[in-house]
Amino acid sequence: MATFFYARVSTTEQVLDHQVDQAQAAGFVFDEIIADHGVSGIQHKLEDRPEGRRLFDKLRYGDHLVVRWVDRLGRNYEDVTDVIRHFIRSGVTIHTIINNMEFDGATDDPVQQAVRDALIGFLAATAEAQAEAQKVAQKAGIKAAKNDPRKYPGRKPTFDRQSVRTVNDLLSTGINISAIARQVGLSRQAVMRIRDDAEGVEEALQRWGL
C-alpha cells in the first residue's frame, strides 16, 4: 500500500513545491511524487500526459492518490469523472487537499454510492466551469489589452520610419514592388503594406516608437 502525490503544473506562475507543501501541511506523507509540467488540463487527458500515464501503471489496489483538487486530474467533466471512477473501481482511494475530500469504492450501499457519485460529478462540473470562466476572462483581458497599445503593441514591424520614407520615395519613382523590397531589405508584403496602409503603418511606428 503506497501513497502517491500527483501535481499538474500548467504555467510558469504555478510551482510544484507550493502544491507539495500544501499536501504535507495537511498531514500527507508520500512514497512518490509525480508531476506534469506545462500541461493543460483542458487539452490533455490524464492518461495522455507523460507523467499522468504513469499513475495508471503504478496505482494498485489499496494505494492512495493525493491531489490538490480534482482539477489537477482534468478540467473536463467526463475526463474527471471517468478518471476518479476508474481509480476507485481499482481499489484506489483519492484524497483532495482542498475541502479534504476522500473518494473510494469501499461502500456497497447504493444510496451512499449515489451520493458519492453525485459529489464526484458536482466537483468535476465545477472544475470544467472554472476552466471555461478562466478562458472567457483571458479572452476579455487580451481584447482589453489589444485596445490599449501600451499593453499589447502587437507584432513589431519589420520596417522603421527611415525605411518607410525610403519605400515611399522609391514608390514615387515607379519602381516595382519586388525591386524596392530587394533594395530596402523588406519583404514584398511589407512594401505593399507601406504603400496601401499609410495610417496603419504610422500607427505601428508610433506604437513601437520607431
Side-chain angles (χ1 to χ4, degrees):
M1 191 170 67
T3 299
F4 295 85
F5 178 73
Y6 175 75
R8 177 177 57 80
V9 185
S10 57
T11 69
T12 55
E13 286 78 20
Q14 296 177 354
V15 181
L16 174 60
D17 290 347
H18 176 62
Q19 295 186 40
V20 173
D21 290 343
Q22 278 188 316
Q24 291 175 336
F28 292 103
V29 178
F30 316 118
D31 294 288
E32 187 172 349
I33 296 173
I34 298 176
D36 277 300
H37 294 265
V39 176
S40 167
I42 299 173
Q43 299 175 354
H44 302 283
K45 294 182 178 180
L46 182 66
E47 61 186 359
D48 295 332
R49 306 172 203 164
E51 295 302 305
R53 179 69 248 175
R54 293 179 59 208
L55 289 177
F56 290 86
D57 298 332
K58 282 180 168 289
L59 287 170
R60 298 289 185 268
Y61 185 90
D63 286 347
H64 294 260
L65 172 62
V66 181
V67 293
R68 180 177 178 272
W69 198 56
V70 297
D71 68 341
R72 299 302 90 186
L73 299 174
R75 303 298 292 270
N76 173 277
Y77 175 82
E78 290 186 0
D79 293 346
V80 176
T81 53
D82 287 348
V83 164
I84 293 178
R85 287 167 182 164
H86 168 80
F87 285 143
I88 63 177
R89 282 196 300 266
S90 302
V92 175
T93 300
I94 299 176
H95 306 267
T96 69
I97 300 166
I98 295 178
N99 296 335
N100 192 30
M101 297 290 183
E102 181 177 302
F103 303 103
D104 60 37
T107 182
D108 293 325
D109 182 271
V111 174
Q112 292 181 7
Q113 288 178 340
V115 172
R116 177 202 65 198
D117 292 346
L119 180 56
I120 291 172
F122 172 75
L123 294 178
T126 301
E128 180 169 344
Q130 288 181 341
E132 289 299 319
Q134 183 178 351
K135 286 196 296 183
V136 170
Q138 287 175 339
K139 288 180 180 179
I142 291 173
K143 182 178 180 179
K146 284 183 176 180
N147 292 331
D148 185 348
R150 295 169 300 176
K151 295 181 180 179
Y152 195 92
R155 180 179 294 182
K156 186 176 182 179
T158 56
F159 48 78
D160 56 19
R161 193 166 294 279
Q162 180 56 53
S163 60
V164 170
R165 291 196 191 97
T166 302
V167 167
N168 285 324
D169 288 343
L170 292 173
L171 285 170
S172 65
T173 67
I175 300 177
N176 65 55
I177 297 296
S178 297
I180 294 175
R182 287 193 299 271
Q183 184 170 335
V184 183
L186 297 174
S187 66
R188 293 183 74 256
Q189 290 76 13
V191 173
M192 287 188 290
R193 181 184 177 188
I194 293 170
R195 180 193 66 186
D196 301 332
D197 185 20
E199 183 177 342
V201 167
E202 178 59 30
E203 181 182 335
L205 290 173
Q206 292 185 16
R207 190 185 309 139
W208 282 92
L210 298 174

